[in-house]
Amino acid sequence: MERHRWLKVAIFACLVAFSVGREFRLNHKHSGDAISFNHTLAEILVQYASAAYISDLTELFTWTCSRCDDLTQGFEVIELVVDVQHCLQSYVGVSKSLNAIVIAFRGTQENSIQNWIEDLYWKQLDQMYPGMPDAMVHHGFYFAYHNTTIRPAIVSAVERARKFYGNLDIMVTGHSMGGAMAAFCGLDLAVSHNYQNVQVMTFGQPRIGNAVFASYYSNIVPNTFRVTNGNDIVPHLPPFYSYFPRKTYRHFPREVWLYDVGFGSFIYQVEKVCDGSGEDPSCCR
Ligand SMILES: *[C@@H]1O[C@H](CO)[C@@H](O)[C@H](O)[C@H]1NC(C)=O
Ligand SMILES: *[C@@H]1O[C@H](CO)[C@@H](O)[C@H](O)[C@H]1NC(C)=O
């Protein structure tokens, strides 16, 4: 009995996820572009996001690290981008199987993660996003991408890759703080460099700006997914207060929430595609 009940719950949850996904596609019909969450692509991009943490730069450059196999085989690194002063690391390369330029950003390193998370509670919206009236972001995330050696190195690597391989898609990814940088990078490539085919998929990304920023962002980089996991605190930070929705941080859409339903040995992984608000109250956020 118990087993059937949970099975029903799981099936119901999947139907909800499916119908929400369908609604999303309908909503976006007018833009002529049906963007749906691609689970296979997420499994590939999470490998790229994870590889950004590898500290052995030779292994990373030659794509011979232990995480650099199966799903990402044949990846060609164009440029490793390391900012030692600010402790940032990312890379740009070409995936022939995805037919895309992949850009991945490292998150905060393990030894400083606790402090970093504690700091996240107090981050102020203290930086205007240039060219977008009333859009505010956190200066720390903004400057990590915009005011370090990272941005010029990434932009020039993307230009080189496109010169050599043609007009490939651009996929930007990262985990945690790397996800925040991935979002700024995707937005920058679309706004300042006018690239049309930019996709962003982040994993466990914190909030980076206010509601006005989120709205600009989602218009400019509509092909964005934020994958969240039920047990992760980072996507809840810096906090969103629903009673001050325009004054606080706000996520941009679209969240895809991975969580387990079930009980005992009947656990089902549910993947819920959340609504277009960025702060779907029935999701992890
Ligand atoms: C999902 O992504 C994979 C990897 O890029 C691709 O091969 C597949 O065709 C995509 N599926 C859909 C439905 O777009
Ligand atoms: C941006 O970077 C430059 C050079 O590192 C530095 O002088 C400047 O103060 C930075 N701007 C801000 C607002 O932090």
Side-chain angles (χ1 to χ4, degrees):
M1 226 26 244
E2 210 51 73
R3 173 183 187 165
H4 281 113
R5 224 165 56 105
W6 279 112
L7 194 57
K8 268 189 206 149
V9 170
I11 290 169
F12 175 69
C14 289
L15 287 175
V16 169
F18 176 68
S19 63
V20 170
R22 203 173 44 179
E23 177 203 7
F24 172 49
R25 279 193 288 277
L26 289 175
N27 282 346
H28 276 72
K29 239 184 186 156
H30 60 270
S31 69
D33 224 9
I35 304 164
S36 53
F37 181 64
N38 181 335
H39 181 94
T40 312
L41 181 59
E43 282 190 341
I44 297 169
L45 288 179
V46 79
Q47 303 268 335
Y48 285 113
S50 139
Y53 283 89
I54 285 163
S55 51
D56 185 326
L57 297 183
T58 310
E59 278 190 358
L60 188 55
F61 191 74
T62 53
W63 209 250
T64 50
C65 56
S66 58
R67 298 177 213 178
C68 306
D69 55 359
D70 50 325
L71 291 175
T72 61
Q73 219 165 27
F75 185 65
E76 186 193 329
V77 177
I78 304 277
E79 179 96 31
L80 293 181
V81 184
V82 180
D83 186 307
V84 176
Q85 186 192 347
H86 300 97
C87 204
L88 302 168
Q89 182 171 316
S90 62
Y91 63 85
V92 180
V94 169
S95 160
K96 288 182 195 91
S97 54
L98 293 177
N99 204 27
I101 297 167
V102 176
I103 306 167
F105 292 89
R106 181 176 75 187
T108 311
Q109 277 175 308
E110 207 148 344
N111 52 14
S112 54
I113 197 120
Q114 188 66 35
N115 288 338
W116 182 74
I117 287 176
E118 279 167 21
D119 279 354
L120 270 185
Y121 282 93
W122 310 110
K123 295 280 187 216
Q124 301 293 309
L125 284 159
D126 49 6
Q127 171 68 37
M128 308 234 296
Y129 195 92
M132 298 182 183
D134 299 324
M136 299 296 290
V137 296
H138 176 253
H139 84 270
F141 298 152
Y142 178 86
F143 280 114
Y145 174 73
H146 282 273
N147 206 26
T148 58
T149 56
I150 297 286
R151 182 189 190 212
I154 297 238
V155 168
S156 101
V158 169
E159 276 167 6
R160 261 180 288 136
R162 284 169 59 106
K163 221 169 252 165
F164 199 78
Y165 290 97
N167 190 13
L168 303 175
D169 284 349
I170 299 174
M171 298 182 182
V172 196
T173 189
H175 165 250
S176 189
M177 155 127 182
M181 294 183 69
F184 278 124
C185 175
L187 183 61
D188 177 47
L189 293 176
V191 172
S192 315
H193 307 279
N194 215 14
Y195 292 136
Q196 303 299 316
N197 41 4
V198 178
Q199 305 177 33
V200 173
M201 193 181 294
T202 67
F203 301 89
Q205 181 214 308
R207 295 187 180 94
I208 62 175
N210 65 356
V212 174
F213 174 78
S215 157
Y216 279 115
Y217 179 95
S218 62
N219 280 325
I220 295 166
V221 198
N223 195 345
T224 292
F225 289 96
R226 289 185 298 105
V227 181
T228 61
N229 173 305
N231 303 320
D232 186 5
I233 181 74
V234 173
H236 298 277
L237 299 171
F240 164 71
Y241 298 105
S242 51
Y243 33 90
F244 294 129
R246 308 207 66 82
K247 296 255 178 261
T248 58
Y249 280 89
R250 189 186 180 97
H251 271 310
F252 49 74
R254 180 162 300 257
E255 178 185 1
V256 175
W257 183 29
L258 308 180
Y259 64 106
D260 292 336
V261 287
F263 151 99
S265 48
F266 305 107
I267 302 283
Y268 302 87
Q269 256 269 308
V270 177
E271 182 176 281
K272 178 170 176 184
V273 179
C274 311
D275 73 21
S277 70
E279 297 285 350
D280 184 341
S282 65
C283 277
C284 172
R285 301 182 286 163

